[in-house]
Amino acid sequence: GAVGISPELLQAVTASQQKEQERMMARLEAMSAVMEEVKGGVSALQQRREKQTSAELLVGQVLVDSVSRVVEDKEALRQEVMRLKGELENAAYDAKKSLDERRRLEEALERQNEAIASPSTASLPAEAK
């Protein structure tokens, strides 16, 4: 005849399977918790890296901007120096021109004064010579 499994054996096997299943569930839950922790750690690391990266990018951008500003300022300064140099050259030219004009006027005035102070013999009547 058929070999019957005793209810006690069946109960023992069922209990054993249930215990094994509970142990597996506990192990899975523990692993799941560890996985969550790992995921949390990884995401925290990623966030920190992104923040760092964006901070580094910001610093890099600030550096690029300030270097560009320095270059622009230097160019603006160079243009200003060239403009001032041009103005100075014009002023020097104008000063030289007015000095030459003044010298010419002083010489003309001097000649006129000499002519008044000592009339040339050419302007006197011929018989007085």
Side-chain angles (χ1 to χ4, degrees):
V3 178
I5 298 172
S6 73
E8 293 82 19
L9 184 61
L10 191 61
Q11 202 174 3
V13 167
T14 305
S16 168
Q17 281 179 338
Q18 202 171 350
K19 266 199 179 109
E20 188 57 37
Q21 203 171 8
E22 282 169 13
R23 258 201 309 269
M24 283 290 290
M25 287 304 290
R27 209 175 296 149
L28 279 173
E29 280 171 21
M31 279 176 65
S32 175
V34 166
M35 287 301 291
E36 283 303 310
E37 228 175 282
V38 167
K39 268 201 288 192
V42 165
S43 104
L45 269 172
Q46 276 178 332
Q47 283 177 345
R48 195 174 318 139
R49 198 177 68 206
E50 283 166 14
K51 274 185 202 158
Q52 247 178 344
T53 303
S54 59
E56 286 164 8
L57 285 174
L58 191 68
V59 167
Q61 191 56 50
V62 166
L63 276 173
V64 167
D65 289 349
S66 57
V67 166
S68 313
R69 213 166 309 128
V70 165
V71 168
E72 287 166 13
D73 290 352
K74 193 175 172 187
E75 180 57 26
L77 200 62
R78 192 186 68 76
Q79 287 175 359
E80 182 68 8
V81 165
M82 294 304 286
R83 188 183 65 76
L84 286 173
K85 188 179 170 216
E87 281 181 20
L88 251 152
E89 286 169 352
N90 289 343
Y93 177 75
D94 291 346
K96 186 186 179 310
K97 241 174 47 178
S98 70
L99 202 65
D100 290 348
E101 181 67 14
R102 183 177 161 187
R103 205 171 288 128
R104 196 184 60 71
L105 287 172
E106 282 174 349
E107 286 169 3
L109 194 64
E110 214 172 293
R111 281 196 303 276
Q112 202 175 16
N113 283 343
E114 283 171 8
I116 292 169
S118 57
S120 67
T121 48
S123 63
L124 291 175
E127 52 280 2
K129 280 184 183 171

